[in-house]
Amino acid sequence: AQSVAQPEDQVNVAEGNPLTVKCTYSVSGNPYLFWYVQYPNRGLQFLLKYITGDNLVKGSYGFEAEFNKSQTSFHLKKPSALVSDSALYFCAVRDMGMYSGGGADGLTFGKGTHLIIQP
Amino acid sequence: DGGITQSPKYLFRKEGQNVTLSCEQNLNHDAMYWYRQDPGQGLRLIYYSQIVNDFQKGDIAEGYSVSREKKESFPLTVTSAQKNPTAFYLCASSISVVISGRSEQYFGPGTRLTVT
């Protein structure tokens, strides 16, 4: 079974400071990892993903994430936070080994982290 | 919210009534999904479909039904058997069956269902 943990319900950061939103995962094989952002009463927007290759992944709106296999983590980062980054962030995982023959099962999502950027 | 539309945005129903939520995509995606979102619980998969006329149960399918008669449409019916139907429902799609394991999902704007 696959699972995702986002250990912080809320993260508070001052505008202009670097931000980190934490995510750890558990899969039996190798992971596909995703970050999404959700604004109030809206659907989720894709930010970035790790499939294979470089452990540092760059995505939309200046966000990046670092895949760390030994720590089974995929933390989301941004060097300088904006007030407009305030939203709910979800990490998601899929076990790569389940899809050698194709397939389209849903992602397993974490419970989400509220990111609040203070002016 | 890409090329996925969900209607209506807000829906109110009386307990005991079935209700159908619409999801349409113009992205030419093969795979489509329905998720339920409750506060503090993340997203949970209800049903998914890899191809027309085929669909599979997700983690919380009880009390829900779907159909996939057309590639672009994947309606979800919340039946009276669903014990706690009030929630935010999200539809998503991804590009193809073969590579959808590593492709991101695109989400619609969601439908907030309230049952009283």
Side-chain angles (χ1 to χ4, degrees):
Chain A
Q2 55 196 31
S3 66
V4 176
Q6 293 181 241
E8 301 155 317
D9 290 335
Q10 183 170 306
V11 171
N12 296 283
V13 178
E15 187 176 24
N17 283 1
L19 69 87
T20 298
V21 183
K22 296 179 180 178
C23 171
T24 59
Y25 66 89
S26 175
V27 295
S28 57
N30 290 314
Y32 295 136
L33 291 156
F34 303 80
W35 274 103
Y36 288 85
V37 61
Q38 184 181 35
Y39 297 98
N41 295 309
R42 301 291 298 277
L44 275 66
Q45 295 178 31
F46 169 74
L47 281 178
L48 50 81
K49 65 181 177 183
Y50 172 81
I51 302 303
T52 187
D54 194 347
N55 289 344
L56 184 63
V57 179
K58 294 188 183 295
S60 305
Y61 312 119
F63 284 94
E64 58 189 28
E66 185 167 13
F67 171 64
N68 187 318
K69 187 172 184 177
S70 64
Q71 297 185 5
T72 61
S73 68
F74 190 56
H75 300 331
L76 181 69
K77 299 181 180 184
K78 187 173 182 181
S80 179
L82 300 172
V83 172
S84 57
D85 292 330
S86 298
L88 181 59
Y89 289 80
F90 289 98
C91 182
V93 70
R94 181 185 280 124
D95 189 335
M96 190 190 301
M98 296 173 64
Y99 298 96
S100 59
D105 200 353
L107 295 169
T108 296
F109 285 84
K111 293 186 177 183
T113 298
H114 288 276
L115 177 62
I116 299 175
I117 308 302
Q118 297 154 332
Chain B
D1 299 326
I4 302 179
T5 57
Q6 292 185 243
S7 60
K9 188 173 179 64
Y10 298 95
L11 190 54
F12 298 88
R13 281 294 183 271
K14 296 290 188 183
E15 192 173 334
Q17 293 179 334
N18 291 355
V19 60
T20 297
L21 282 59
S22 168
C23 177
E24 303 279 333
Q25 55 101 356
N26 62 2
L27 301 170
N28 199 32
H29 286 174
D30 285 324
M32 297 187 74
Y33 313 81
W34 274 105
Y35 292 90
R36 170 182 172 139
Q37 184 178 14
D38 296 282
Q41 294 195 42
L43 278 70
R44 293 180 289 169
L45 182 66
I46 304 172
Y47 268 97
Y48 64 99
S49 169
Q50 300 182 18
I51 200 166
V52 173
N53 292 323
D54 181 70
F55 48 83
Q56 305 295 328
K57 292 182 179 180
D59 301 320
I60 55 165
E62 185 176 352
Y64 299 98
S65 66
V66 293
S67 62
R68 186 87 187 274
E69 297 177 0
K70 299 186 295 182
K71 186 176 183 178
E72 58 270 22
S73 178
F74 191 41
L76 173 74
T77 297
V78 184
T79 75
S80 57
Q82 167 52 230
K83 302 297 183 190
N84 185 20
T86 295
F88 190 50
Y89 291 88
L90 288 161
C91 179
S93 68
S94 62
I95 189 166
S96 77
V97 173
V98 174
I99 67 170
S100 59
R102 58 183 184 267
S103 66
E104 60 272 24
Q105 295 179 5
Y106 293 84
F107 283 80
T111 292
R112 186 166 298 280
L113 173 64
T114 303
V115 177
T116 57

